[in-house]
Amino acid sequence: MSSGTRPSGAQDAQDAQVRGDRLEVAASVLALLADRTRLALMERLGRGEADVTTLTEACGAARPSVSQHLAKLRLAGLVTARKDGRRVVYALRHGHLRRLVDEAMNVADHEIGSLPPHD
């Protein structure tokens, strides 16, 4: 057996660990998005960068609440923040998050509008 080859059982165990890790991270992301305010923030950020004032107006929550939700999203690595003068501007960390939120909203459109399922 070469130094780069592992027994099949070891590879299976490693694959299972990686799959478990992926499921854990995915479940954490979905749990964060399960909050209406955070989902609204993510949906707005999917359209482009925004500061706290813009995000507060977009989601209709109180500014302190928006700031707390943004802190959670930032801590989880789902959004980034940068200084622009005195303002802090937020953005989605990557396009996968925008697409995930878009798909969740599409599911909602189908549920509300009784639209037929499709691929």
Side-chain angles (χ1 to χ4, degrees):
M1 186 176 295
S2 71
S3 61
T5 306
R6 281 181 271 192
S8 178
Q11 184 63 47
D12 289 346
Q14 183 180 12
D15 290 348
Q17 179 63 44
V18 168
R19 184 170 188 274
D21 291 347
R22 289 180 71 211
L23 288 168
E24 187 64 33
V25 171
S28 295
V29 169
L30 292 173
L32 278 167
L33 297 180
D35 178 90
R36 186 184 189 282
T37 300
R38 286 193 292 271
L39 186 59
L41 291 170
M42 296 293 283
E43 182 198 23
R44 172 54 189 84
L45 289 172
R47 296 192 304 267
E49 295 181 327
D51 63 9
V52 175
T53 301
T54 302
L55 292 168
T56 299
E57 292 169 1
C59 72
R63 188 179 183 100
S65 175
V66 168
S67 293
Q68 288 176 350
H69 286 294
L70 285 168
K72 286 181 183 181
L73 293 169
R74 200 170 153 199
L75 183 65
L78 302 185
V79 300
T80 61
R82 65 174 177 81
K83 286 286 229 173
D84 182 20
R86 295 178 61 198
R87 300 178 323 140
V88 177
V89 179
Y90 294 87
L92 293 183
R93 186 165 168 220
H94 49 72
H96 291 291
L97 294 167
R98 180 187 48 78
R99 291 187 295 277
L100 179 62
V101 171
D102 286 349
E103 285 301 320
M105 299 305 287
N106 287 336
V107 170
D109 289 342
H110 279 266
E111 291 296 318
I112 292 168
S114 299
L115 301 171
H118 62 83
D119 287 336

